[in-house]
Amino acid sequence: MAKIHSAEHLKEQIAITKPDHVMFVPKQLEWESDNVHLYVVEHKKYGGLLAFWTQSTFEGTGNNHLVFAGSRDGGKSWSEPKFIIGSRAMTKDDAKNEAQASWGFPIVTRSGRIYLFYYRELLGVKDNSRQLTGAFSAIYSDDCGESWSESADIKQRLTPYDADEYIQDNIVYEVPMRGTDGKYLAGFTKYVSRRVKDELKGGCRVYFYRFDNIDDDPEIKDIKITTLPDDDRGIFVYRPSGDVGRIEEPAWVILPDGRIFCSMRTDLGAVYYSVSSSDGGKSWSSPRALYFDDNTPFVNPISPCPIYDLGDGRYMQLYHGVCDPNKPYLPRNTLRCAIGHFDADAIQPIRFKKEDSDLYMHLGDEADGFGTDKQLAIYGTMTHMDGKNILWYPDRKFFLLGKDVR
């Protein structure tokens, strides 16, 4: 069973990143100690915020399931999480026979219906990993999550990197947002199936789902989704060796001129970005390393590096600022924040000054790793409600917390 921590210890650990809001603290039950891919949305019918995330014993254990909680006071207090769908297994052995539900993300339509999209594990189907390979599925609720429809699978566009139209290896990263045409966009990472031709294997790419008719509240089988960009290659990078590299976890903002600016993590030791044409994401520029105005790059391991629009002309880019070439996913215990502004004439259309970058969070020797090597991996969401920006984030993939952004 998971280690039991005292209330005093948990209180001290929560305080390390100086949060303004506490959403969830695990009670040490075996299947709720890992909390990640947190999506928070405003829901007017509910009267506040609804949060959805993937929960498990530990990432990769095999018991991923989806839960949600709500707040009607701007995030000051939250309801206890409710199980939605996925594995109920309490141990790794039991999880072998329980199908997982992973990386669930919500879309709230204009009527207030909540669609929850997720990746449904099919027991016995093997590809990259149990928690990655699955059918793209959805359920919906018309009563703010009190009850849910039956699940149904959604056919996806087949690219050269997939072996099947239903079973693929994709993960949506940030909560979907409306594009310039009013339709929801969701950026996702596509991992190349192990079942495709050898010459296509290796690396991963970024694509977008565009939800074309979601505001009509269709049945799941009638949902129309366009996968962007229009070409089959997606957004991709090359390593110095000439091989296709890893570019993942797209986060994006809409620029004042209507283009989309997207920042992504890579295995090249830095944050990379791509900019769409003025076509809503149908075509994109070749990715480049993200730089400060002194020509120094945003150093980053293979770890989340989201960008957020603060609504007042400022853009907030999060990154780690350090990278260990021997451990490409680490370190993640330090998180930095840079503030940028739009520059219509620049090749990189958001300009960041080095002096506007600050240490944002740090997990030092006093921090308990809670099984995650002291991670500040920002699989979170920025909400904008009542004139307040709040960053909701997993701390060590354990606590779910919120920080006011001023």
Side-chain angles (χ1 to χ4, degrees):
M1 293 294 291
K3 180 181 177 182
I4 303 298
H5 298 278
S6 69
E8 185 60 31
H9 177 67
L10 291 174
K11 183 178 179 180
E12 291 173 355
Q13 293 294 305
I14 289 170
I16 291 175
T17 59
K18 299 181 174 59
D20 298 294
H21 311 273
V22 177
M23 178 186 291
F24 176 65
V25 179
K27 296 180 176 62
Q28 310 309 303
L29 293 177
E30 188 70 19
W31 75 325
E32 69 168 16
S33 56
D34 194 83
N35 299 278
V36 71
H37 283 259
L38 173 64
Y39 303 95
V40 185
V41 292
E42 182 178 2
H43 197 291
K44 296 187 184 302
K45 182 178 177 182
Y46 177 78
L49 298 170
L50 290 173
F52 300 82
W53 68 94
T54 299
Q55 190 177 75
S56 68
T57 300
F58 186 77
E59 189 171 328
T61 300
N63 60 349
N64 286 357
H65 52 277
L66 307 182
V67 299
F68 82 108
S71 172
R72 288 189 169 95
D73 57 10
K76 295 177 183 177
S77 61
W78 289 84
S79 64
E80 285 294 314
K82 291 184 178 180
F83 175 91
I84 304 175
I85 196 168
S87 173
R88 291 184 180 272
M90 294 292 180
T91 69
K92 192 169 185 177
D93 287 339
D94 291 340
K96 294 177 182 178
N97 300 312
E98 286 269 351
Q100 299 178 101
S102 304
W103 329 127
F105 63 92
I107 287 181
V108 179
T109 69
R110 297 192 190 282
S111 73
R113 171 176 285 187
I114 305 166
Y115 287 91
L116 185 62
F117 297 87
Y118 69 101
Y119 298 95
R120 181 177 70 86
E121 181 186 8
L122 292 91
L123 293 174
V125 175
K126 298 183 182 298
D127 202 328
N128 280 290
S129 74
R130 284 187 60 192
Q131 66 176 8
L132 178 59
T133 304
F136 187 39
S137 303
I139 54 178
Y140 64 81
S141 173
D142 290 319
D143 54 14
C144 303
E146 290 300 316
S147 61
W148 294 90
S149 71
E150 292 294 317
S151 176
D153 298 339
I154 301 168
K155 184 178 179 180
Q156 299 189 76
R157 179 176 130 194
L158 188 66
T159 75
Y161 318 106
D162 305 307
D164 192 280
E165 291 177 312
Y166 283 96
I167 305 168
Q168 297 186 8
D169 299 84
N170 304 330
I171 297 180
V172 165
Y173 172 49
E174 280 285 346
V175 68
M177 297 187 296
R178 294 188 185 273
T180 53
D181 59 1
K183 297 177 181 178
Y184 276 104
L185 285 175
F188 66 95
T189 307
K190 179 175 290 294
Y191 298 87
V192 180
S193 170
R194 293 180 179 178
R195 297 174 288 168
V196 302
K197 297 177 181 179
D198 288 342
E199 61 265 26
L200 296 177
K201 292 179 180 178
C204 47
R205 298 162 188 259
V206 163
Y207 291 83
F208 289 80
Y209 295 125
R210 187 185 69 205
F211 296 84
D212 295 324
N213 66 336
I214 203 74
D215 283 313
D216 297 333
D217 293 344
E219 291 301 314
I220 296 167
K221 65 181 178 62
D222 297 321
I223 295 174
K224 296 179 181 178
I225 297 175
T226 300
T227 300
L228 303 172
D230 283 342
D231 63 69
D232 274 335
R233 297 178 301 168
I235 300 172
F236 65 98
V237 294
Y238 287 111
R239 299 188 181 106
S241 65
D243 296 328
V244 174
R246 300 175 68 95
I247 189 163
E248 306 169 326
E249 297 180 349
W252 56 276
V253 294
I254 298 177
L255 299 173
D257 61 9
R259 293 178 296 163
I260 302 171
F261 182 96
C262 179
S263 63
M264 296 155 283
R265 78 180 195 180
T266 69
D267 62 354
L268 302 173
V271 178
Y272 270 56
Y273 77 94
S274 179
V275 184
S276 77
S277 300
S278 299
D279 56 11
K282 294 179 181 179
S283 58
W284 293 80
S285 65
S286 296
R288 298 170 176 258
L290 188 67
Y291 279 87
F292 289 99
D293 62 357
D294 66 353
N295 292 319
T296 56
F298 281 69
V299 177
N300 201 64
I302 305 176
S303 183
C305 49
I307 188 169
Y308 299 110
D309 185 346
L310 298 183
D312 57 4
R314 296 180 299 154
Y315 299 94
M316 175 181 174
Q317 175 69 59
L318 296 176
Y319 69 109
H320 291 288
V322 289
C323 185
D324 184 343
N326 297 313
K327 298 178 180 179
Y329 289 86
L330 300 172
R332 294 179 169 188
N333 64 312
T334 295
L335 190 69
R336 300 190 67 84
C337 171
I339 299 299
H341 297 82
F342 177 61
D343 185 343
D345 299 321
I347 294 176
Q348 178 182 300
I350 299 181
R351 183 181 295 277
F352 296 93
K353 294 182 179 179
K354 196 65 169 287
E355 57 266 31
D356 291 336
S357 176
D358 295 306
L359 180 66
Y360 196 57
M361 299 183 206
H362 179 71
L363 299 172
D365 292 339
E366 78 281 15
D368 188 328
F370 294 106
T372 63
D373 296 322
K374 302 181 182 179
Q375 292 191 21
L376 287 170
I378 301 300
Y379 292 97
T381 307
M382 182 79 72
T383 58
H384 316 274
M385 192 174 76
D386 300 329
K388 177 184 287 189
N389 296 317
I390 303 176
L391 174 66
W392 300 101
Y393 62 99
D395 176 359
R396 287 159 277 183
K397 297 186 178 180
F398 188 75
F399 305 114
L400 297 181
L401 307 174
K403 186 182 286 285
D404 294 336
V405 179
R406 301 173 178 86

